[in-house]
Amino acid sequence: MKNFADKLIERVNERQNPSIVGLDPTFANLPEPLKNEQKAKYGENFTAIGASLFEFNRRIIDAVAGTVPIVKPQIAFYEKYGLAGMRAFANTCKYARKRKLLVIGDVKRNDIGSTAQAYSEAYLGCADFWGGTKKKCYDLDAVTVNAYLGTDGVKPFVDDVKAHGKGIFVLVKTSNKSSGEFQDVVTADNRPNFMMMAANVAKWGESTDGKSGYSSVGAVVGATFPQQAVDIRQALPKAIFLVPGYGAQGGTAADVVPCFNKDGYGAVVNSSRGIIFAYQGDKFKAAPEEFDKAAANAALGMKEDIARALREANIHPWK
Amino acid sequence: MKNFADKLIERVNERQNPSIVGLDPTFANLPEPLKNEQKAKYGENFTAIGASLFEFNRRIIDAVAGTVPIVKPQIAFYEKYGLAGMRAFANTCKYARKRKLLVIGDVKRNDIGSTAQAYSEAYLGCADFWGGTKKKCYDLDAVTVNAYLGTDGVKPFVDDVKAHGKGIFVLVKTSNKSSGEFQDVVTADNRPNFMMMAANVAKWGESTDGKSGYSSVGAVVGATFPQQAVDIRQALPKAIFLVPGYGAQGGTAADVVPCFNKDGYGAVVNSSRGIIFAYQGDKFKAAPEEFDKAAANAALGMKEDIARALREANIHPWK
């Protein structure tokens, strides 16, 4: 069984690219022709919306699978369409794995021990089945976890990380504007809350290292806070950072550089809207029918953008 | 449109009972006869597990609907069985509302603004539908929210609280053992993190008060930390506390008293395993076929237990 961190680095090497395509298919932004096709098939209902989400993702995945190593479906965009949405989520994850992409489920789950275990069983491990056996459900490669509840709520995930070669990314410093309200508050021992969280991530990651030296318990660190990233990088030399906030949220390629180690590893950078809805933007504008070509071009653009910023910082990725 | 806090208080008054039954149907603990019935119908698969979860909940709901005002399905126990599990979740919520119970979805969702909005649309509000219209999905009465990401991640929920007469309960001080690791850390201005979170809850709750004077933005405060509950109660006089940790997790009726205001309102107390799996315990032990009767008795026992503790503290509920 391969360690998650090693798998991730292997895929990054194969593609010479540390980017993630975030699969956040806001229904309103999906191309009209694609939606109309599904509506004609199923009617004006949730089923047709779910089918639209999957069909959109399938074409995005086909378009970027040669360029990027990882996709990150944000589950909220599927949950909001109930069972039809969750069917699209399941089908998307399955299809992405078939296309040899790693799948990070952006679920930000969190709860007390027994409940955290149920979440971990859903996405990483396996659940109680008939006749005392166990069965896998979504079987993703990794998920994001919110650790406000402390070790109890993280340990079940770490157990599955170890048992099944999976990964987790714990929210440390998020990319949104108000992330500082809570995460930046300085504690009595003179460090911000996010640095305390980073220290916990190091502890939770013990005994999850791969041959690469990287840990399978990573951290979410927003591209929008490059100064804080410097401190977190120093505190967590072995953690892989999942970096949201590049592109549509305002983070630049230069902003993500502090998330990487000098060896060129240690970070994977996500872009969602900037890639999947590139057809609506200025730089990669395309007809709605060609949304996937626009996404392919945007993914290539992002790959080059990050590689350039790393080279300019004298970081020379990847083997 | 009725305010959520007012609806909750009305239901508590009707039942003379501030308890919540937590619907956390761990598959391994479901009664064998019930499981075998579903297996005979559908085979040894997830469909039969989902059907077992719903059938179990349906009978629990029928058994407790005359005693308790609220149920709280913990979504992790459904998510772990994929689509079949989520079908059970949806059917459970629908059935509970049909039986005039309020439904609090224990989902602990959290994300950046646009994604938090998608979650809120899933559970409280409505999502983009065909032809520019909107459509409700789960349409629960309230959900739990984790606010590690700050105001951005909470505001979309608060907007739906106001627009649709819904409620949220923000994690302030959770019931699990390791909750102190992060939540109790004292900040430079000499208050624990959970008190800072409480101050935010007050702010987010502005303009969500009902005629009762209570706010529709509540707080999750564990029964297992009665000392901390005193401080939070003082900081949040108008918030309704959702109190987990009573029963199986070790909290007693006396422990939950500090969560109430002197008027007898301001808290609703959850028990999950202690009620739904009462048939396996000592006090309300019953044959597997009679798990629902055991649950009914346990729910009555809990109602009396809490009422007694409140009376002993010279609190005289409820109108």
Side-chain angles (χ1 to χ4, degrees):
Chain A
M1 188 186 64
K2 196 168 264 179
N3 172 280
F4 171 74
D6 287 351
K7 257 187 284 191
L8 182 142
I9 285 171
E10 188 181 291
R11 303 290 177 98
V12 166
N13 282 338
E14 277 168 20
R15 296 278 173 270
Q16 299 273 304
N17 184 4
S19 3
I20 303 172
V21 171
L23 298 172
D24 306 5
T26 317
F27 182 59
N29 292 338
L30 298 192
E32 291 301 328
L34 182 148
K35 290 198 275 198
N36 289 335
E37 219 172 274
Q38 304 304 320
K39 189 171 71 175
K41 224 185 266 183
Y42 300 104
E44 290 199 347
N45 50 34
F46 273 17
T47 304
I49 293 179
S52 300
L53 302 186
F54 175 60
E55 181 58 16
F56 178 77
N57 286 343
R58 194 186 60 73
R59 286 181 55 187
I60 293 280
I61 289 169
D62 284 342
V64 303
T67 308
V68 305
I70 310 167
V71 290
K72 180 176 75 63
Q74 165 48 258
I75 201 167
F77 293 95
Y78 306 86
E79 271 183 70
K80 81 178 195 184
Y81 292 109
L83 301 185
M86 287 307 288
R87 181 168 297 117
F89 176 80
N91 288 339
T92 297
C93 296
K94 212 179 292 175
Y95 189 73
R97 295 196 74 186
K98 198 176 119 193
R99 294 299 316 258
K100 306 286 179 216
L101 290 159
L102 288 180
V103 179
I104 301 174
D106 199 351
V107 301
K108 296 187 176 64
R109 296 302 192 251
N110 65 105
D111 218 292
I112 67 168
S114 54
T115 308
Q117 189 184 330
Y119 280 130
S120 186
E121 287 169 355
Y123 297 107
L124 302 181
C126 29
D128 288 326
F129 196 62
W130 295 100
T133 61
K134 300 253 179 193
K135 200 173 168 76
K136 287 187 174 184
C137 183
Y138 292 108
D139 195 23
L140 309 184
D141 295 295
V143 290
T144 52
V145 171
N146 180 322
Y148 184 73
L149 282 81
T151 300
D152 296 344
V154 179
K155 192 176 172 298
F157 290 98
V158 174
D159 290 345
D160 279 333
V161 162
K162 291 175 184 170
H164 300 284
K166 304 292 187 180
I168 60 170
F169 295 91
V170 177
L171 303 190
V172 171
K173 176 65 187 163
T174 58
S175 59
N176 59 309
K177 279 203 181 105
S178 72
S179 78
E181 272 178 29
F182 196 78
Q183 298 162 27
D184 291 1
V185 170
V186 175
T187 64
D189 61 355
N190 201 30
R191 58 178 177 171
N193 272 325
F194 71 79
M195 286 301 285
M196 184 176 52
M197 195 55 94
N200 284 330
V201 169
K203 206 177 59 190
W204 296 324
E206 280 168 14
S207 322
T208 70
D209 295 0
K211 287 178 193 148
S212 57
Y214 280 97
S215 159
S216 295
V217 174
V220 174
V221 180
T224 41
F225 299 104
Q227 267 318 105
Q228 289 85 338
V230 172
D231 296 337
I232 306 171
R233 186 72 276 174
Q234 203 158 18
L236 289 175
K238 296 199 300 186
I240 296 168
F241 290 7
L242 193 175
V243 185
Y246 168 92
Q249 286 185 55
T252 66
D255 291 334
V256 307
V257 169
C259 293
F260 287 83
N261 277 321
K262 293 296 169 202
D263 65 2
Y265 297 100
V268 280
V269 182
N270 180 75
S271 176
S272 303
R273 285 165 278 174
I275 306 286
I276 67 175
F277 298 130
Y279 81 101
Q280 295 176 324
D282 290 331
K283 201 164 169 194
F284 302 101
K285 200 174 184 61
E289 290 79 4
E290 307 213 306
F291 71 91
D292 46 355
K293 284 188 197 155
N297 289 333
L300 275 171
M302 180 181 175
K303 175 184 175 176
E304 287 160 17
D305 191 29
I306 292 175
R308 189 182 319 112
L310 288 172
R311 278 195 309 272
E312 283 169 7
N314 210 21
I315 295 174
H316 298 281
W318 296 272
K319 275 152 208 144
Chain B
M1 188 186 63
K2 197 168 264 180
N3 172 281
F4 171 74
D6 287 350
K7 258 188 283 192
L8 181 143
I9 285 171
E10 188 181 291
R11 303 291 177 98
V12 167
N13 283 338
E14 277 169 19
R15 296 276 171 269
Q16 298 275 304
N17 184 3
S19 357
I20 304 171
V21 172
L23 298 172
D24 306 4
T26 317
F27 181 60
N29 293 338
L30 298 192
E32 292 299 329
L34 183 148
K35 289 198 275 198
N36 289 335
E37 218 171 275
Q38 303 305 320
K39 189 171 71 175
K41 224 184 267 182
Y42 301 105
E44 290 199 345
N45 50 35
F46 273 16
T47 304
I49 293 179
S52 300
L53 303 186
F54 175 59
E55 180 59 14
F56 178 78
N57 286 343
R58 194 187 61 74
R59 286 180 56 187
I60 293 280
I61 289 168
D62 284 343
V64 304
T67 308
V68 305
I70 310 167
V71 290
K72 179 177 77 64
Q74 165 49 260
I75 201 167
F77 292 94
Y78 306 86
E79 272 183 69
K80 82 178 195 183
Y81 292 110
L83 301 185
M86 287 306 290
R87 181 169 296 117
F89 176 81
N91 288 339
T92 297
C93 296
K94 213 180 288 176
Y95 189 73
R97 296 197 73 185
K98 199 176 120 192
R99 294 297 319 257
K100 305 288 178 214
L101 291 159
L102 288 180
V103 179
I104 301 174
D106 198 351
V107 301
K108 296 187 176 63
R109 296 302 193 252
N110 65 105
D111 218 292
I112 66 168
S114 54
T115 309
Q117 189 184 331
Y119 280 129
S120 185
E121 287 169 354
Y123 297 106
L124 303 181
C126 29
D128 288 326
F129 196 63
W130 294 101
T133 61
K134 300 253 180 195
K135 199 173 172 75
K136 288 187 175 181
C137 183
Y138 292 107
D139 195 23
L140 309 184
D141 295 296
V143 290
T144 52
V145 172
N146 179 323
Y148 185 73
L149 283 81
T151 299
D152 296 344
V154 178
K155 193 178 172 297
F157 290 98
V158 174
D159 290 345
D160 279 333
V161 162
K162 292 176 184 169
H164 299 285
K166 304 292 187 180
I168 61 169
F169 295 91
V170 177
L171 302 191
V172 171
K173 175 66 188 162
T174 59
S175 60
N176 59 309
K177 279 202 181 104
S178 70
S179 78
E181 273 177 28
F182 195 79
Q183 297 162 26
D184 292 1
V185 169
V186 175
T187 62
D189 61 356
N190 202 30
R191 57 177 177 173
N193 271 326
F194 70 80
M195 287 300 287
M196 183 177 52
M197 195 55 94
N200 284 331
V201 169
K203 207 176 58 190
W204 296 324
E206 281 169 13
S207 323
T208 70
D209 294 0
K211 288 177 192 148
S212 57
Y214 282 97
S215 158
S216 295
V217 174
V220 174
V221 181
T224 42
F225 299 104
Q227 266 319 103
Q228 288 85 339
V230 173
D231 297 338
I232 306 171
R233 186 72 278 173
Q234 204 158 17
L236 289 175
K238 298 199 297 186
I240 296 169
F241 291 5
L242 192 176
V243 184
Y246 168 91
Q249 286 185 55
T252 68
D255 291 335
V256 307
V257 169
C259 293
F260 287 83
N261 277 320
K262 292 297 168 201
D263 64 2
Y265 298 99
V268 280
V269 182
N270 181 74
S271 177
S272 303
R273 287 165 274 174
I275 307 286
I276 68 173
F277 298 129
Y279 82 102
Q280 295 176 323
D282 290 330
K283 202 165 168 192
F284 301 101
K285 201 174 182 64
E289 289 79 3
E290 307 212 307
F291 71 91
D292 46 354
K293 284 187 197 155
N297 289 333
L300 275 171
M302 179 180 175
K303 175 184 175 176
E304 287 161 17
D305 191 30
I306 292 174
R308 189 182 319 112
L310 288 172
R311 278 196 310 271
E312 282 168 9
N314 209 19
I315 295 173
H316 298 281
W318 293 272
K319 274 152 211 142

